[in-house]
Amino acid sequence: MGKHNKNHNQPNHSKPDTVRMRLDKWLWAARFYRTRTLAKEAIESGRVHYAGSRVKTSKEISVGDELSIRQGSATAMTEKTVIVEGLTAQRGNATAAQVLYSETEESQKRRAYHTEQRKLANLARPDYKPNKKERRDLQRFKNKQS
């Protein structure tokens, strides 16, 4: 009895020298999202771009590809442009995940600028909430002005 490969007539589309991986799985392994479901939802909602355009969840990426990833809430949205440095199917700790990508220098400068702008916007707020007496005084002052 010989061994039979039931897929022996199927063409092999994968190139052995190019290792590729699904985008949602890589985002999860690189710790951009806590679960693969969250990574899938981010891709489908257009928060992850490959080469400047939206992609599907099953998009296969390889080392050297450039991704734009938006994370955070609407008020504190951050966008990172990263270059894929490594591929792995296993999710490791944060230090292992940082080896999988490198953020571009332009992206780092842009994020630092936006962080600084958010800090400056918060300086306009008072340090504490006025108490009842101070609120009444403010209201009296506003009423005198009108």
Side-chain angles (χ1 to χ4, degrees):
M1 286 193 191
K3 293 183 180 180
H4 295 288
N5 183 357
K6 66 181 188 177
N7 292 328
H8 70 281
N9 289 332
Q10 299 295 327
N12 186 1
H13 293 293
S14 64
K15 297 176 185 171
D17 55 32
T18 306
V19 179
R20 299 183 74 75
M21 173 177 216
R22 283 177 60 106
L23 179 57
D24 62 334
K25 199 168 192 177
W26 184 84
L27 288 170
W28 167 76
R31 301 184 76 87
F32 283 102
Y33 298 99
R34 238 182 285 147
T35 64
R36 280 186 64 189
T37 304
L38 289 175
K40 176 181 177 258
E41 289 170 359
I43 295 167
E44 289 173 348
S45 65
R47 288 183 294 224
V48 178
H49 289 211
Y50 173 83
S53 59
R54 290 180 69 161
V55 292
K56 292 186 178 180
T57 306
S58 60
K59 171 74 177 164
E60 292 198 344
I61 60 169
S62 59
V63 174
D65 291 344
E66 187 173 305
L67 303 171
S68 295
I69 304 164
R70 286 185 305 178
Q71 291 179 295
S73 62
T75 57
M77 183 71 69
T78 60
E79 184 171 350
K80 291 181 182 177
T81 304
V82 298
I83 297 171
V84 178
E85 298 289 338
L87 302 174
T88 182
Q90 294 181 341
R91 182 178 168 104
N93 60 16
T95 55
Q98 287 177 341
V99 176
L100 298 178
Y101 65 91
S102 63
E103 187 174 2
T104 62
E105 202 162 312
E106 178 188 327
S107 173
Q108 291 173 344
K109 289 178 183 176
R110 188 174 54 233
R111 284 192 317 119
Y113 172 76
H114 289 299
T115 302
E116 187 66 29
Q117 292 301 312
R118 276 196 299 274
K119 285 180 183 176
L120 291 174
N122 282 338
L123 291 178
R125 293 186 177 152
D127 292 337
Y128 64 95
K129 186 177 175 181
N131 62 26
K132 191 171 183 178
K133 182 184 182 316
E134 292 169 335
R135 284 194 310 269
R136 287 180 176 164
D137 291 343
L138 280 171
Q139 193 62 41
R140 280 190 210 112
F141 179 74
K142 286 180 183 178
N143 288 339
K144 285 181 182 179
Q145 297 295 323
S146 48

